[in-house]
Amino acid sequence: MWNRRSLLISGATAAMAALLPDRRRAVQASGANRPAPLRRGSRLRAVNPGTWMDPEMDFSPLIERCAAEGWVLEIPDTVRRQWRYFSGTDQQRVAELNAAWNDPSVDGVLYVGGGWGGARVLEAGFRFPGRALWTVGFSDSSSLLLAQWAAGLPGAIHGSSGGPEERWQRTVALLSGHPVAPLQGVGRRPGQAKGPLVVTNLTVATHLIGTPWMPDLRGAILVLEDVGEAPYRVDRMLTQWRSAGLLQQLSGVACGRFSWEKDDILPGDFTMEEILEERLGDLGVPLIVDLPVGHGLPNMALPLGAEARIDGRTGHLSLIP
């Protein structure tokens, strides 16, 4: 049976806060300082900030995909390193992130691996330099995507660099500065709204509450997904978000894919759909569910901080050019 850790692998203090820009910048930052669209000759680097991966992992399909776009993808040997259940010590992973982010010849970072470790890298002292950079990841890497946007730096994309060609081409389009199609979900609460996207794994983001790496959500469209969490645990996490006052000033809410072990639900329990609607449906903002986002197929990419429009009647989530 798959447990949460195996599913994830597949697929702070006030002093720390003083070292980061005001989180209110996250919903105010304009697109003027977005990283330049990738072009032929652009360089990408793979970084594994979390759990160690199979040392026999074959990256050649990803290298070939990038090469087809004219991009050069670097796969350092360090992505296959192992220290206990991490891909290196915290300081080694900090060093890898620093090297990638501070290399002016690197145009983007692909977060590979998963499991657990991104938040430990932040706690261990990684700080974003003052430049925007393309980054692609999801699951545990959501912590780094959220922290990047909290620092006011555009370029973070919640998505996968693997999987079917359809979702890869959507990621390519976003990295290349091209428009992408709206995503279709199911409308649950009517209304239209617009605002900057904040896209994340629910469990990962819940464990950033109260840290400097959680973006200001005022005016945002929040998109949540998760895997391996029973409805009662999703209920518990969303109750924490409500109690912390994080959901009261959103522009809209959307839910991607939530999956769990079916035997986690007993007769008479809330279903996942009921919990999502019960905990998110009374916020007075549009709500859509069942977006093709998150663990599983497909995991369609969405950029953090990009202006988007949500329609709670039609179930559409679209980016605003």
Side-chain angles (χ1 to χ4, degrees):
M1 178 179 294
W2 288 89
N3 58 29
R4 176 177 171 79
R5 184 182 176 203
S6 60
L7 283 165
L8 285 169
I9 292 172
S10 68
T13 64
M16 292 178 183
L19 297 175
L20 290 173
D22 189 333
R23 283 178 292 159
R24 287 174 294 183
R25 290 177 53 195
V27 296
Q28 298 168 352
S30 71
N33 62 339
R34 288 177 185 167
L38 296 187
R39 62 196 186 285
R40 298 191 69 83
S42 291
R43 292 181 60 212
L44 303 174
R45 184 175 299 171
V47 176
N48 184 359
T51 299
W52 67 275
M53 62 174 53
D54 184 347
E56 302 301 318
M57 173 71 70
D58 182 10
F59 284 102
S60 57
L62 181 56
I63 294 173
E64 292 168 4
R65 274 182 163 177
C66 290
E69 305 300 327
W71 307 337
V72 178
L73 174 60
E74 303 172 359
I75 309 288
D77 291 339
T78 52
V79 300
R80 298 181 175 89
R81 185 172 47 199
Q82 180 180 0
W83 175 70
R84 309 302 287 267
Y85 50 73
F86 296 115
S87 64
T89 67
D90 291 344
Q91 290 306 321
Q92 285 174 328
R93 302 195 319 281
V94 168
E96 292 301 316
L97 278 170
N98 276 327
W101 270 84
N102 287 287
D103 186 337
S105 70
V106 171
D107 301 297
V109 172
L110 301 184
Y111 295 129
V112 297
W116 160 239
R120 281 186 59 135
V121 171
L122 294 167
E123 188 266 341
F126 173 68
R127 297 292 178 267
F128 296 95
R131 70 154 176 158
L133 185 70
W134 291 116
T135 59
V136 179
F138 76 112
S139 193
D140 177 65
S141 297
S142 293
S143 58
L144 294 168
L145 303 179
L146 290 172
Q148 179 178 344
W149 183 233
L153 299 174
I157 294 177
H158 182 280
S160 173
S161 55
E165 187 66 17
E166 175 191 16
R167 76 180 189 184
W168 167 247
Q169 287 303 321
R170 181 181 175 90
T171 302
V172 168
L174 291 172
L175 292 170
S176 303
H178 299 150
V180 294
L183 296 184
Q184 180 67 58
V186 177
R188 285 290 184 253
R189 294 293 183 274
Q192 295 186 359
K194 62 181 180 179
L197 284 173
V198 176
V199 192
T200 185
N201 175 269
L202 173 62
T203 297
V204 172
T206 298
H207 290 87
L208 292 185
I209 292 174
T211 74
W213 307 301
M214 186 69 170
D216 189 334
L217 299 180
R218 289 173 292 181
I221 296 174
L222 177 64
V223 182
L224 298 170
E225 64 86 27
D226 216 323
V227 64
E229 297 290 0
Y232 79 90
R233 292 195 290 269
V234 171
D235 182 352
R236 183 165 58 200
M237 287 186 280
L238 290 176
T239 299
Q240 168 66 11
W241 285 60
R242 292 169 65 96
S243 300
L246 296 178
L247 303 179
Q248 281 69 20
Q249 298 184 56
L250 297 172
S251 289
V253 184
C255 295
R257 191 175 295 103
F258 282 75
S259 58
W260 65 99
E261 296 293 341
K262 298 303 181 183
D263 58 6
D264 278 336
I265 299 179
L266 299 176
D269 286 355
F270 285 100
T271 66
M272 185 67 76
E273 292 78 9
E274 288 172 333
I275 282 300
L276 293 175
E277 290 192 46
E278 198 274 339
R279 294 282 77 188
L280 300 172
D282 65 348
L283 301 175
V285 299
L287 169 65
I288 61 179
V289 298
D290 294 336
L291 283 179
V293 173
H295 294 76
L297 297 176
N299 180 18
M300 305 302 273
L302 287 171
L304 276 72
E307 286 291 316
R309 180 176 290 107
I310 185 174
D311 189 322
R313 182 183 65 82
T314 65
H316 280 95
L317 179 69
S318 56
L319 302 184
I320 299 174

